[in-house]
Amino acid sequence: MPQWTRRIGALVGAAALASAAACGSSEGGDSEAENPPPGEGTQTDLLELLNESDRLVAELVSAENRIIEQCLEDQGHTVHDQFTIMDIGGYEAESLSLGLPTEGLFPEPDMAATWGFGAWADTTEGMESPDYAEYDAIRNPEEPDDSGEAGVLQEDMGPAIDNSAFDDLSEDDRLAWYIAYGGEEYAAWQGYSDEELEDQYQDDEGVWTTPKPGGCLLEMIESLYGEPELIVDEEEGSSRWSGRPESPEFQGTADDEILPAYRERVADEESAFLECLIDRDRGAWEFSDTGELGIWGYFVGVYTGEWESGDGADYAEGTPGPPADLPADFEGKRQYETELAVDFTECAAESGFGEASATEWEAVHLEYYRSIEPELFAWQDEIESALDKSQDLIRG
């Protein structure tokens, strides 16, 4: 499942939400109600705050890159690895609460009765079905282009990166650039195979660590932030060196707070939903620790007859397994999927779980972001200070 956080990476632009939010309305009225105290922000306020944080970081990353480029060019390196010195793009989040654990489990009744969960459409037979194109158009709708005409939705990834000038440099010149950019250790790291990297940069507990910065990268970090800091991501099993202050959004024990709170609030509805499935002879399903049901892995097993992946993952974990009378042909299996989707949707409505899961998932996220709102404003002040310093450095 996607993580609860908004770790979406791409960020762009800049403004001053922190100071604006502290000001009263210019039109009078109850300024405290319009600008609630820290820790009491509305969902709209908090989403605006987080997206503003993203934009500030994007501008700061761009400034960091300009400082590094100046340092490199002062040493005679005028052609750069565009994939290493790369600004980050833009993404405007529309929700605080990504990654709903029940996402896709409860199709609309008419969709469930016609298309099931849609798992059939990801099989070879499904893609060859005469109604595949109709369903694919429903799940991947076209969006209007700039002219107002319908066009295929394509994610805006920005212009393609042309790194041909750097690739055309000699191996010695590329190595010299990496040494100037990040230091000897960084340059060596760029050339190791995966096996050598595992020996050099993975500790006894399996945590990956990038090389400590050197060269122009270190100069940039020290000029803006002071000594670089090792940031450990225990969830991902990795660590990285950074000087930029880490957002409170990505610190602390959010997963430990959000998931248990959500599961506790929907426990009765979860149980009622599972009991409803049992009453309909759909077997005993079990929710995972993250509040998910293994429906997608389950249908991999249903359609292929294989219940373990190549790495040994159990597709049937938490599921009742296929019924004894499961049809052998594709159309029969698709019909079974459709009937199961109808039961899932009806049980979600009867138990109240469908509504409760969405409502409580949003509620626990709102409460969490309210709890770190003061820290987010303080962090924005740090980022804005670094931006001011970066502009002085760039202007020289």
Side-chain angles (χ1 to χ4, degrees):
M1 125 184 165
Q3 293 301 309
W4 66 269
T5 63
R6 294 166 47 265
R7 297 176 187 177
I8 314 177
L11 324 162
V12 69
L17 178 64
S19 58
C23 300
S25 170
S26 61
E27 299 177 359
D30 187 349
S31 62
E32 183 174 347
E34 294 171 3
N35 299 284
E40 299 180 20
T42 66
Q43 176 132 338
T44 300
D45 295 333
L46 290 165
L47 186 59
E48 185 178 0
L49 171 63
L50 293 169
N51 280 332
E52 178 60 20
S53 296
D54 290 351
R55 289 188 288 269
L56 287 171
V57 170
E59 184 173 345
L60 186 52
V61 168
S62 179
E64 290 173 353
N65 288 337
R66 301 296 84 75
I67 293 170
I68 292 173
E69 285 181 356
Q70 284 183 354
C71 173
L72 289 166
E73 289 170 7
D74 287 345
Q75 299 178 41
H77 299 283
T78 58
V79 178
H80 306 298
D81 181 359
Q82 300 299 320
F83 290 105
T84 299
I85 301 183
M86 179 174 62
D87 292 345
I88 51 180
Y91 184 93
E92 193 82 2
E94 298 179 355
S95 173
L96 297 177
S97 50
L98 301 175
L100 177 65
T102 57
E103 187 73 36
L105 288 183
F106 314 130
E108 292 295 323
D110 58 338
M111 291 289 290
T114 306
W115 308 110
F117 294 104
W120 62 272
D122 294 325
T123 67
T124 301
E125 297 93 336
M127 293 178 187
E128 295 172 351
S129 297
D131 58 351
Y132 172 80
E134 180 183 356
Y135 175 67
D136 194 50
I138 293 172
R139 67 174 176 175
N140 297 304
E142 293 182 341
E143 295 286 338
D145 60 23
D146 292 338
S147 65
E149 300 295 329
V152 177
L153 175 64
Q154 293 184 343
E155 185 177 1
D156 182 10
M157 300 299 291
I161 294 176
D162 181 5
N163 207 39
S164 57
F166 186 79
D167 293 337
D168 288 341
L169 294 177
S170 69
E171 183 175 350
D172 287 344
D173 285 344
R174 291 197 300 270
L175 176 59
W177 187 93
Y178 284 124
I179 292 173
Y181 173 86
E184 294 277 356
E185 186 178 350
Y186 179 88
W189 180 64
Q190 289 291 322
Y192 281 144
S193 68
D194 289 345
E195 293 80 7
E196 290 169 324
L197 278 173
E198 183 172 347
D199 293 337
Q200 294 290 327
Y201 297 105
Q202 191 175 34
D203 65 20
D204 293 338
E205 296 180 357
V207 176
W208 288 88
T209 302
T210 56
K212 188 172 182 178
C216 290
L217 177 60
L218 179 61
E219 287 189 27
M220 179 276 293
I221 291 173
E222 290 178 334
S223 67
L224 288 180
Y225 313 111
E227 285 297 311
E229 177 186 2
L230 184 63
I231 305 226
V232 178
D233 188 332
E234 294 181 357
E235 182 179 324
E236 297 294 331
S238 64
S239 59
R240 62 183 174 81
W241 289 92
S242 176
R244 191 184 320 124
E246 188 84 350
S247 169
E249 183 183 4
F250 305 134
Q251 297 177 4
T253 56
D255 287 339
D256 294 335
E257 296 173 26
I258 287 178
L259 282 170
Y262 163 76
R263 295 296 305 286
E264 181 178 357
R265 295 183 190 187
V266 299
D268 291 343
E269 289 85 357
E270 274 189 0
S271 296
F273 171 74
L274 296 178
E275 287 296 326
C276 179
L277 293 179
I278 291 174
D279 292 343
R280 295 183 178 220
D281 295 326
R282 294 304 183 184
W285 292 75
E286 297 178 8
F287 285 98
S288 69
D289 292 340
T290 55
E292 299 172 286
L293 288 179
I295 192 73
W296 309 113
Y298 177 74
F299 277 109
V300 170
V302 165
Y303 284 108
T304 66
E306 298 177 2
W307 292 92
E308 285 191 0
S309 66
D311 60 5
D314 184 2
Y315 291 141
E317 185 174 1
T319 76
D325 59 351
L326 179 70
D329 64 298
F330 169 76
E331 290 300 332
K333 292 176 180 178
R334 179 175 170 179
Q335 180 62 33
Y336 166 69
E337 177 189 338
T338 300
E339 293 169 354
L340 185 61
V342 169
D343 283 341
F344 263 58
T345 298
E346 292 180 353
C347 283
E350 291 176 15
S351 65
F353 180 53
E355 181 178 356
S357 64
T359 299
E360 297 301 339
W361 188 246
E362 182 175 297
V364 294
H365 280 78
L366 177 59
E367 291 165 13
Y368 173 75
Y369 281 111
R370 278 177 171 167
S371 75
I372 65 169
E373 187 179 9
E375 288 82 3
L376 281 166
F377 277 114
W379 171 80
Q380 277 195 354
D381 287 342
E382 290 187 77
I383 297 302
E384 288 172 335
S385 295
L387 272 170
D388 291 341
K389 185 183 292 187
S390 72
Q391 296 310 308
D392 292 339
L393 291 170
I394 291 170
R395 285 191 293 265

